[in-house]
Every structure is written in structure tokens, then in C-alpha cells.
Amino acid sequence: VSVATVKSQLKNKMSGIGIGEQSNGFLTMLANIAPAFSSVNDLKPDSLKFDSRRNELRLQASASGYQQFEQFKQQLEKQQFSVSQGAQNNQGDKVSGSFSIVGQAQGGR
């Protein structure tokens, strides 16, 4: 394996998480959605999955009620994210559900 191949693969992986030249990777998106978590502090993430090719974050979360899911979605939409809500389930005193969040539309791409 050549050094150039290793460098290229490492650069691609780092770009995918938001380090390097790419400005809309995982870390950038996570930083941009942080204010929505702060404004709806009852909603807690259970898992995160990032698809760098689609610039999409899939989030499983739980909260005390359905209202927190709607508030979180509204906060993200205010920040120009495209948000799709998945199924929500009542599990005792908690509600769990999912979101698909696509990166902010910022001229380019």
C-alpha cells in the first residue's frame, strides 16, 4: 500500500466527520444542532448515525412527551435544516422516536 493511498483514504475519512476541507460533516452538523438540544433540554439523544454521502443525521431520542419532539423539529427548521420525524412510541413514562436531519442549505453543492 502506497503512502499516497493511505493519505487519500485518511483525508476522505476526516472530511466525512467534518475535519479538513469539507465544511458540512458530522462534527459541523452536530455543532449546528446543539442549540436545538439546548432549547428542548428534556429531549435526550439515544443514538446518532451520520451518512456523509447524503449529509444526513439519523437520531433516535427519548423525551417525557410528544410535545418535545415537535419543539425540537421546529427549532431545527428555524435553523434551515430539513427534518423528517419518524414513528414515535409511548414506553411507560417516556416517548421514544426518530428524526432524519439533512444538512443546512448553504449555497454551494
Side-chain angles (χ1 to χ4, degrees):
V1 178
S2 73
V3 172
T5 301
V6 172
K7 280 184 177 181
S8 175
Q9 289 177 350
L10 184 58
K11 184 177 177 180
N12 287 340
K13 293 292 182 187
M14 290 175 66
S15 291
I17 62 168
I19 299 172
E21 297 172 10
Q22 185 179 357
S23 65
N24 42 346
F26 173 69
L27 295 177
T28 302
M29 184 178 277
L30 203 54
N32 289 336
I33 68 170
F37 279 111
S38 296
S39 67
V40 186
N41 51 4
D42 186 38
L43 186 112
K44 304 293 180 205
D46 295 326
S47 70
L48 296 169
K49 292 182 182 180
F50 183 70
D51 183 339
S52 61
R53 292 183 185 169
R54 297 176 64 181
N55 195 32
E56 176 182 54
L57 183 67
R58 294 180 204 114
L59 166 69
Q60 284 288 128
S62 57
S64 61
Y66 295 102
Q67 301 85 355
Q68 286 79 14
F69 282 86
E70 188 58 35
Q71 290 171 357
F72 186 72
K73 181 181 180 201
Q74 289 172 358
Q75 289 297 319
L76 291 173
E77 288 172 339
K78 284 181 187 176
Q79 294 177 258
Q80 305 303 310
F81 283 102
S82 174
V83 183
S84 299
Q85 255 179 290
Q88 297 173 354
N89 301 305
N90 191 351
Q91 298 178 346
D93 62 343
K94 292 281 184 186
V95 174
S96 66
S98 63
F99 294 95
S100 176
I101 305 162
V102 178
Q104 292 168 310
Q106 299 174 349
R109 289 185 69 123

